[in-house]
């Protein structure tokens, strides 16, 4: 799923990194929240990039088929 259903925030890797940051000494709660936000944003950007790549790959398959169909009409 996507960000709408919270998949990024529930991703084990994201939770793991946020958990590691929580154990770093000398960080304020504000620092921890900021790092958690950055990690979540990075994960969301990566997820979006993967989805975009999949969409482009699907288009690369579909376009030649559509052009072929158009030639037949």
């Amino acid at each position: 799923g996507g960000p709408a259903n919270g998949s990024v925030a529930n991703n084990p890797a994201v939770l793991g990194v946020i958990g590691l940051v929580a154990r770093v000494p000398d960080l304020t709660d504000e620092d921890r929240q900021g790092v958690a936000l950055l990690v979540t944003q990075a994960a969301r950007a990566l997820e979006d990039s993967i989805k975009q790549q999949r969409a482009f790959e699907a288009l690369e398959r579909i376009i030649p088929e559509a052009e072929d169909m158009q030639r037949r009409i």
Side-chain angles (χ1 to χ4, degrees), residues 5 43 69:
N5 65 15
M69 286 174 31

Side-chain angles (χ1 to χ4, degrees), residues 3-20:
N5 65 15
S7 68
V8 169
N10 295 325
N11 182 306
V14 172
L15 293 174
V17 171
I18 292 171
L20 287 173

Side-chain angles (χ1 to χ4, degrees), residues 4-49:
N5 65 15
S7 68
V8 169
N10 295 325
N11 182 306
V14 172
L15 293 174
V17 171
I18 292 171
L20 287 173
V21 170
R23 293 188 213 140
V24 174
D26 302 327
L27 282 183
T28 65
D29 286 342
E30 188 177 336
D31 289 337
R32 293 179 209 285
Q33 289 173 357
V35 172
L37 178 62
L38 290 173
V39 169
T40 301
Q41 288 174 339
R44 185 167 292 139
L46 182 58
E47 185 177 75
D48 289 346
S49 175

